Amino acid sequence: MTNNRRTSKRVTIADVAREAGLSPTTVSHSLNDIGQVDPRTRQHVKDVAARLKYRPSVRAQRLRTGRSHAIALLSSMPAAVSAGESQLGFFTELAMGLARRALLSGYVLVLAPPMDQCDPLSLMDIDGAILLEPAPDDLIAQELDERAVPYVTVGGEPGPNNIDLQHAAAADLLLSHLYASGARHPGLILGASGRASQRSFHERYLAAAQAQGFTPVVAMAAEEEGEAAGQQAAARLLAEHPKLDALCVPIDTFASGALHAIEAAGLSVPGDLLLTTRHDGVRARMCHPPLTAVNLHLDAVSSAAVQRLLQILGHEIKDPLLDLPVPDLVARLSTGA
């Protein structure tokens, strides 16, 4: 039996260098967007490589550079709040945008699902990481520092290597919307971890209480207990504060739990209470009624996070995303929309 498939010699860096009239090092730096190479030379190399149908060998790149060309998405948030039973929470939704952007930049994304009893870094060969909403004294952040692994945070403390999720803007959107929708005694349910998002929502809620003249009513819930913790916190607030007419619950897992508590108390949303959450994700859209939330523009957040990490790793970024879109309110039936 004859094999009719045409075989051809693989085009190498040396072939491109010979055709371009440049050194293999210059060609390598040009193709990988690293080093100090004149932009016209870099483009010339890419044009020659395209004409010769050069395809880089990922294995050779790893051996040559000592890099894995892999980055990881990490989070210390318990799976109960970051993904939930459906595995379609904030963490996994952000991962899709990160994986797409990383792959277009020549990297693969390693998704390390939140695990309470495992050190994921001991099992991975990565060049860098993106850490989602770290807690104060976050153990994963400490491990990254100890291992000298470059990383970017998303929704963490302000700084040059943090991608801002604009917590205060999101909180103001939801709280002002509740007031405009008729709420005069709103309550707040937060995660007890002390993450930047929860602290910011607390601060903006207290500011709104002072500005609008209502008494603050706040409950804390344990992240690791997931939806059940949100349900218990909401039930407690409803029993202790019968005048409540709205709940702002930034963590969407807690928000769906709050909805169960409201129904168990014989009340309805939005008839008796208005209900909002932060992330406009699958959970917010699939609740009954659907929850008013905020579009955090996760595609833009993903692009900015990958770009910043690649800059830290030494890559030149063309047209970096400098300003993220401001969050947008997505009004739904849970607030009467």
Side-chain angles (χ1 to χ4, degrees), residues 130-202:
I130 295 168
L131 180 58
L132 176 60
E133 292 207 48
D137 301 319
D138 196 287
L139 294 179
I140 294 180
Q142 293 176 22
E143 190 69 19
L144 287 166
D145 288 332
E146 290 175 5
R147 293 175 182 265
V149 176
Y151 67 97
V152 168
T153 58
V154 172
E157 300 299 329
N161 294 333
N162 176 65
I163 307 303
D164 188 7
L165 280 180
Q166 304 180 74
H167 306 308
D172 288 345
L173 273 176
L174 293 175
L175 293 169
S176 61
H177 174 70
L178 285 175
Y179 187 81
S181 300
R184 295 297 179 267
H185 302 283
L188 180 70
I189 298 177
L190 297 171
S193 65
R195 301 182 197 276
S197 59
Q198 305 304 289
R199 298 200 315 271
S200 186
F201 264 80
H202 196 185

Side-chain angles (χ1 to χ4, degrees), residues 209-253:
Q210 184 175 16
Q212 298 168 10
F214 63 84
T215 301
V217 175
V218 181
M220 298 288 181
E223 290 180 354
E224 60 272 16
E225 296 177 14
E227 188 174 82
Q231 182 170 353
Q232 293 165 8
R236 185 168 64 253
L237 288 187
L238 292 174
E240 296 174 357
H241 304 277
K243 289 186 178 180
L244 282 179
D245 56 10
L247 286 174
C248 180
V249 190
I251 296 177
D252 55 1
T253 311

Side-chain angles (χ1 to χ4, degrees), residues 37-271:
V37 181
D38 182 83
R40 291 171 297 181
T41 300
R42 195 185 300 275
Q43 188 58 51
H44 171 60
V45 170
K46 291 182 178 181
D47 291 341
V48 171
R51 177 160 48 83
L52 294 180
K53 296 186 175 168
Y54 167 75
R55 297 291 182 270
S57 166
V58 174
R59 183 174 299 176
Q61 283 181 331
R62 291 177 179 176
L63 290 173
R64 183 174 64 254
T65 65
R67 288 185 171 183
S68 65
H69 281 265
I71 60 177
L73 174 60
L74 305 167
S75 179
S76 63
M77 287 191 293
V81 297
S82 63
E85 294 181 0
S86 68
Q87 300 300 306
L88 291 174
F90 184 37
F91 181 84
T92 44
E93 290 180 46
L94 180 65
M96 293 300 295
L98 290 171
R100 181 168 53 251
R101 177 55 56 183
L103 194 58
L104 290 172
S105 303
Y107 281 75
V108 295
L109 180 75
V110 179
L111 182 60
M115 300 175 68
D116 300 332
Q117 305 296 326
C118 175
D119 171 19
L121 290 174
S122 65
L123 305 174
M124 297 186 297
D125 178 17
I126 57 174
D127 295 332
I130 295 168
L131 180 58
L132 176 60
E133 292 207 48
D137 301 319
D138 196 287
L139 294 179
I140 294 180
Q142 293 176 22
E143 190 69 19
L144 287 166
D145 288 332
E146 290 175 5
R147 293 175 182 265
V149 176
Y151 67 97
V152 168
T153 58
V154 172
E157 300 299 329
N161 294 333
N162 176 65
I163 307 303
D164 188 7
L165 280 180
Q166 304 180 74
H167 306 308
D172 288 345
L173 273 176
L174 293 175
L175 293 169
S176 61
H177 174 70
L178 285 175
Y179 187 81
S181 300
R184 295 297 179 267
H185 302 283
L188 180 70
I189 298 177
L190 297 171
S193 65
R195 301 182 197 276
S197 59
Q198 305 304 289
R199 298 200 315 271
S200 186
F201 264 80
H202 196 185
E203 291 167 2
R204 300 311 302 158
Y205 173 79
L206 295 179
Q210 184 175 16
Q212 298 168 10
F214 63 84
T215 301
V217 175
V218 181
M220 298 288 181
E223 290 180 354
E224 60 272 16
E225 296 177 14
E227 188 174 82
Q231 182 170 353
Q232 293 165 8
R236 185 168 64 253
L237 288 187
L238 292 174
E240 296 174 357
H241 304 277
K243 289 186 178 180
L244 282 179
D245 56 10
L247 286 174
C248 180
V249 190
I251 296 177
D252 55 1
T253 311
F254 289 169
S256 60
L259 186 58
H260 294 318
I262 294 168
E263 293 170 347
L267 303 174
S268 67
V269 173

